[in-house]
Amino acid sequence: MLGSSRSRHRFTTALAGFGLLVTGAALQVGTAAAPAHAATTYRVLFDDGHAEEAGNADWIISTSKPDPLAQDSSPSSETDWTGALSSWGVALQKTGSYSMKTATSALTYGGSSTTDLSNFDALVLPEPNTLFTTAEKTAIMNFVKNGGGLFMISDHTGADRNNDGYDAVEILNDLMTNNSVDSTDPFGFSIDSLDISSGYPAAISDSSNAVLNGSFGTVTKSLIADGTTATLKPSDNSAVKGLVYRSGYSGNTGAFFATSTFGSGRVAFWGDSSPIDDGTGQSGNTLYDGWNDSGATNAALALNATAWLTGASSGSGGGGGGGGGGTCTSAQLLGNPGFESGNTTWTASSGVITNSSSEAARTGSYKAWLDGYGSAHTDTLSQSVTIPSGCSATLSFYLHVDTAETTTSTAYDKLTVTAGSTTLATYSNLNAASGYVLKSFDVSSLAGTTATIKFSGVEGSTLQTSFVVDDTALNVS
């Protein structure tokens, strides 16, 4: 709200802020609402809470839920687990580097459930057939924005397996366009309302792409057996990239498999459930073995994509997707980077982390609002983080400055941004402008140390200046 002052900051949650310490080279972020990588185990949650078994579908890794290990703790073949996705699950389990669970109830983020998204690195949505609730969409989008991986698998239009009026095309498009976090084409693509009967879409040539050329093999073709494609919109998200295309298509149309990024997270899209179907499942279902189809390399595509989404592979995936080299694992290190978990993870002055409507968040509902009182006042916001040795590191955040000051020459109110003992930048009432502006700083010199990222706002005795921060990130690679 331009030029206004406030007697108090907005209402905040009752939780006290506390510092976050990221320990060790595993890059594990110790907050309940941020996905975190373990040193050798990458955690994948398969959704089965949205009619993934309706009709002739059987999109589960095991009938044992939430833990497939209860069916067989050491599976050696896909039949040791029961489900049309058991080949996928068993293949990951046999590597010794993955831990999997199945969600059968509403998806949450920042809660106490064992299947809460904060406990996982990637979420797989294998052809959902019921709409996600408003709360679930918020949870999914924040999970991705804060560093999680999202694997969306669609099917052809009209594949309404439970006859509730919605198919996977509509459900996944609704997730992307009707959520409280970012509904402005956040991933840079939309799913086409098509029913393509058959084909073997071909992969593009990109030897550096971790999804097409990963540890599970090289992808040449996929399978389409009544599926759909996506239309890409790189003007909305420059990271979106088509990897596998329907015959006769390229560029922004006909993408059968695509990747993108959102916030600090990664996204993959596949236009058909047939490629992940291993042909086996529960009694009564007629299934097709697309996983082992001799004309395609679907297993390699599914497994490489899972590795990329979880961070197990650090190579490029989409345009702007995570790249990395050396011994550094690509990651986003800040906890609660968009403040959507309220007054947690950060150490902040009273009222700084807020969902007040007087100053709009850039995305979601929460942001950090420093100063804005129109009287002498100091606010601080900080978080400690360990940056592993050998990493390149970049601190970024979005800043909005609004002021009642009229001067064009004197900085009465100031915001100072520091990383450790280094002052990165100082902003003032002279930087006031409409909207948010992205700020980015190379902090690679802090690799191998634990540094405190701190925002300090100091306001003069009259006329307010508000410094509003949102969507922070400390990315290493």
Side-chain angles (χ1 to χ4, degrees):
M1 184 173 179
L2 182 62
S4 66
S5 63
R6 56 184 180 174
S7 58
R8 296 186 63 190
H9 281 285
R10 62 153 199 175
F11 169 79
T12 61
T13 61
L15 295 174
F18 57 89
L20 169 73
L21 179 63
V22 180
T23 57
L27 309 184
Q28 181 158 347
V29 181
T31 172
H37 296 299
T40 58
T41 303
Y42 299 91
R43 301 155 303 169
V44 185
L45 181 66
F46 287 81
D47 182 50
D48 187 35
H50 297 86
E52 281 91 351
E53 296 179 72
N56 208 41
D58 193 44
W59 311 137
I60 55 174
I61 56 174
S62 168
T63 51
S64 176
K65 308 165 195 176
D67 189 356
L69 295 179
Q71 183 172 14
D72 191 318
S73 60
S74 300
S76 59
S77 67
E78 64 90 8
T79 55
D80 292 333
W81 288 358
T82 305
L85 305 188
S86 60
S87 286
W88 190 350
V90 169
L92 292 175
Q93 181 65 31
K94 288 170 67 175
T95 69
S97 297
Y98 293 86
S99 172
M100 287 157 285
K101 293 288 190 295
T102 299
T104 58
S105 56
L107 296 169
T108 60
Y109 181 49
S112 59
S113 168
T114 57
T115 56
D116 185 83
L117 288 172
S118 63
N119 298 318
F120 296 91
D121 300 299
L123 168 66
V124 180
L125 302 178
E127 194 193 338
N129 252 255
T130 59
L131 288 168
F132 297 101
T133 67
T134 298
E136 286 181 308
K137 288 185 286 187
T138 299
I140 294 168
M141 296 299 292
N142 278 326
F143 168 70
V144 180
K145 187 173 77 169
N146 291 344
L150 176 63
F151 204 151
M152 299 191 297
I153 300 168
S154 184
D155 204 351
H156 62 89
T157 189
D160 179 9
R161 298 181 186 273
N162 60 341
N163 298 312
D164 69 344
Y166 297 98
D167 56 37
V169 173
E170 295 165 312
I171 292 164
L172 295 175
N173 277 333
D174 177 72
L175 169 64
M176 295 185 286
T177 63
N178 185 25
N179 67 79
S180 65
V181 178
D182 188 340
S183 293
T184 58
D185 193 23
F187 306 153
F189 65 85
S190 60
I191 303 172
D192 303 324
S193 294
L194 296 174
D195 183 351
I196 305 165
S197 61
S198 63
Y200 284 95
I204 65 170
S205 177
D206 186 348
S207 60
S208 67
N209 189 280
V211 176
L212 298 180
N213 298 275
S215 60
F216 292 98
T218 298
V219 177
T220 56
K221 289 185 177 181
S222 186
L223 163 75
I224 191 165
D226 287 315
T228 189
T229 55
T231 297
L232 312 186
K233 303 174 185 177
S235 60
D236 292 341
N237 186 332
S238 61
V240 70
K241 184 172 184 177
L243 302 186
V244 179
Y245 283 88
R246 180 185 179 191
S247 179
Y249 291 80
S250 62
N252 294 334
T253 59
F256 185 57
F257 196 103
T259 57
S260 189
T261 62
F262 175 61
S264 303
R266 296 172 170 181
V267 179
F269 160 79
W270 210 339
D272 194 0
S273 55
S274 298
I276 57 170
D277 183 350
D278 64 21
T280 66
Q282 299 174 77
S283 176
N285 287 329
T286 303
L287 300 166
Y288 173 77
D289 189 2
W291 185 266
N292 296 302
D293 190 292
S294 60
T297 48
N298 293 316
L301 182 52
L303 296 168
N304 285 344
T306 307
W308 179 72
L309 289 168
T310 59
S313 67
S314 58
S316 66
T327 60
C328 184
T329 300
S330 297
Q332 195 289 113
L333 302 183
L334 291 178
N336 193 18
F339 308 106
E340 294 304 314
S341 296
N343 195 23
T344 64
T345 306
W346 297 86
T347 297
S349 301
S350 176
V352 164
I353 298 177
T354 175
N355 60 359
S356 168
S357 60
S358 297
E359 287 286 356
R362 177 178 175 269
T363 59
S365 301
Y366 282 80
K367 67 276 175 183
W369 179 1
L370 295 88
D371 298 328
Y373 289 91
S375 60
H377 187 84
T378 298
D379 275 331
T380 60
L381 172 74
S382 64
Q383 183 177 146
S384 295
V385 59
T386 297
I387 304 175
S389 300
C391 287
S392 298
T394 302
L395 173 69
S396 63
F397 57 90
Y398 284 85
L399 175 65
H400 168 57
V401 181
D402 106 27
T403 188
E405 301 283 2
T406 58
T407 179
T408 59
S409 59
T410 305
Y412 290 113
D413 313 308
K414 296 181 180 180
L415 176 73
T416 302
V417 185
T418 58
S421 60
T422 302
T423 298
L424 301 177
T426 299
Y427 306 99
S428 74
N429 48 280
L430 300 178
N431 299 110
S434 61
Y436 283 85
V437 179
L438 176 63
K439 308 295 183 182
S440 183
F441 304 91
D442 186 346
V443 292
S444 301
S445 62
L446 298 175
T449 70
T450 297
T452 297
I453 307 302
K454 186 173 183 179
F455 299 82
S456 301
V458 179
E459 191 172 19
S461 59
T462 61
L463 300 179
Q464 75 88 25
T465 298
S466 294
F467 300 100
V468 192
V469 177
D470 203 358
D471 296 328
T472 67
L474 204 166
N475 291 305
V476 296
S477 60

